[in-house]
Amino acid sequence: MANKLISEIGLPKSIANIFAARNINTAKEALSLTEFELMELLDVGMADVTSAVAHISAVVSPPYQTALFLMEQRLQNEQFAGHLPTRLKGLDDVLFGGIPFGVLTELVGPAGIGKTQFCLKISLLASLPASYGGLDGHVIYIDVESKFSSRRIIEIGATSFPEIFHKKGMAQEMAGRILVLRPTSLSEFTESLQQIKVLLLQQEVKLLVIDSMAALISGEYDQGAPRQHSLGWHISFVKSLAEFSRIPVVVTNQVRSQSRDEICQHSFQAHKNVETQEGTEKYDSHVVAALGIHWAHSVTIRLVLEAKSGLDDIINFDGKKMK
């Protein structure tokens, strides 16, 4: 704002012409001088100088905002942005309607727990017509580990929404709305980010899925701990995509083993992660989300998927029960 042109600020034409004649073209140049210096340089009265400086300052300096205003604005933006319902009632209730727009939502869990199945289901939901509760848009699906299955998408759709998918050509139309990219390394993912940004602008993209983020840097580990700095730029870029496009962004993350020595390097964890004993057995490690604390702080919502033993039935993502 400091480089905003005086001619674009809206000063009276007479005083604006005097600024231009004295080669004072930007707000920064005008505000770098005292009012007495401006009065002498412009050869005008103090009242005119004071009025001009006040006007320039009001335009280029953002007004103060109260904490109440910021809170109300945030609530308004969240309400305006909306959510993508997952059709899992308990989860949607906890998330106040579903996966929120404009932020990063992370799925964490071990291999085989259902992260990709969840991503396939919400990709289908985002592509459904609005009359069926969908977002009626395209989906960008970053399939790092080649786990995306178009056949599975059709199966989920035919089971959950038979009234749509049994119509001629509808299954092909829904599947055609999901754009799949398959970078095999962090460098390829970096190259594809600009393409993703263009697609967000050109297509009616309503969901971005990255499955999985940890797989992109498989080989970027140093003694079990991720090189967090290697993802710094990518984290910022993906967050900016979410905020700019106001769409839900869902990323999956893997888990890794964390040793006691690694835990205790953080003083605030020393008392929380004390040595656990059961009889004479001691546990020297536990499972945590991969990618480190820098990544964790960039995620707005983290959903942790765990397998629970002793349950008779598990609800599948297409609505069916399986033993």
Side-chain angles (χ1 to χ4, degrees):
M1 295 295 288
N3 292 322
K4 193 171 183 65
L5 296 177
I6 295 292
S7 57
E8 298 176 354
I9 287 179
L11 285 173
K13 191 172 182 179
S14 57
I15 192 72
N17 288 338
I18 297 175
F19 273 99
R22 300 298 188 272
N23 201 30
I24 302 176
N25 299 312
T26 66
K28 181 179 180 180
E29 292 171 349
L31 298 178
S32 296
L33 300 172
T34 67
E35 293 184 352
F36 287 103
E37 289 172 333
L38 280 174
M39 183 177 66
E40 182 178 330
L41 182 62
L42 300 178
D43 195 21
V44 296
M46 177 59 76
D48 291 330
V49 170
T50 301
S51 176
V53 168
H55 183 83
I56 294 171
S57 299
V59 171
V60 301
S61 300
Y64 71 85
Q65 296 174 324
T66 66
L68 176 62
F69 174 81
L70 292 174
M71 182 180 68
E72 292 174 342
Q73 188 178 51
R74 177 182 176 182
L75 292 174
Q76 183 180 3
N77 289 339
E78 288 178 352
Q79 184 177 10
F80 173 77
H83 298 78
L84 169 60
T86 67
R87 304 297 180 94
L88 301 173
K89 187 178 184 306
L91 181 58
D92 286 341
D93 288 345
V94 170
L95 297 177
F96 301 100
I99 307 296
F101 292 7
V103 299
L104 267 64
T105 300
E106 179 191 42
L107 299 178
V108 179
I113 198 69
K115 300 187 297 295
T116 296
Q117 294 296 311
F118 184 90
C119 291
L120 294 176
K121 179 64 178 287
I122 61 173
S123 296
L124 174 64
L125 292 172
S127 65
L128 286 177
S131 57
Y132 289 91
L135 300 181
D136 199 18
H138 286 81
V139 175
I140 297 178
Y141 197 110
I142 311 299
D143 182 27
V144 181
E145 299 177 281
S146 297
K147 292 182 178 180
F148 180 88
S149 171
S150 56
R151 180 177 179 179
R152 182 61 181 145
I153 282 276
I154 301 302
E155 289 176 351
I156 295 174
T159 303
S160 303
F161 307 98
E163 68 277 18
I164 301 178
F165 277 75
H166 289 170
K167 293 181 180 179
K168 184 178 181 180
M170 187 60 71
Q172 290 81 355
E173 180 181 344
M174 294 296 100
R177 294 184 176 187
I178 302 174
L179 314 174
V180 182
L181 299 176
R182 283 180 168 156
T184 58
S185 65
L186 187 61
S187 59
E188 287 187 14
F189 176 67
T190 303
E191 294 175 0
S192 67
L193 284 176
Q194 291 299 332
Q195 180 184 1
I196 294 170
K197 189 172 183 179
V198 171
L199 288 172
L200 287 173
L201 294 172
Q202 293 179 345
Q203 307 285 344
E204 286 293 318
V205 175
K206 297 298 178 67
L207 172 67
L208 171 62
V209 175
I210 304 176
D211 183 22
S212 74
M213 202 70 191
L216 284 170
I217 58 170
S218 59
E220 302 261 339
Y221 286 80
D222 181 18
Q223 298 180 349
R227 298 178 184 173
Q228 299 175 19
H229 66 274
S230 64
L231 271 179
W233 180 83
H234 302 82
I235 294 171
S236 298
F237 195 94
V238 172
K239 287 189 68 174
S240 69
L241 288 179
E243 295 170 359
F244 165 75
S245 58
R246 304 306 300 174
I247 63 172
V249 174
V250 176
V251 298
T252 65
N253 192 4
Q254 300 168 357
V255 295
R256 65 183 182 89
S257 178
Q258 187 179 41
S259 67
R260 183 191 297 113
D261 290 340
E262 188 180 348
I263 297 169
C264 292
Q265 67 181 324
H266 303 295
S267 59
F268 65 86
Q269 294 177 319
H271 297 291
K272 180 179 178 181
N273 296 299
V274 295
E275 185 178 279
T276 303
Q277 296 185 1
E278 185 176 340
T280 58
E281 185 179 5
K282 297 181 180 180
Y283 297 90
D284 292 327
S285 65
H286 69 288
V287 171
V288 297
L291 299 181
I293 196 167
H294 185 196
W295 167 259
H297 286 173
S298 301
V299 172
T300 303
I301 296 175
R302 168 172 281 176
L303 303 177
V304 181
L305 307 184
E306 296 179 342
K308 297 292 184 181
S309 60
L311 298 179
D312 293 330
D313 296 304
I314 298 176
I315 303 299
N316 195 8
F317 287 114
D318 57 9
K320 298 184 294 185
K321 287 186 177 180
M322 55 185 183
K323 295 292 185 181

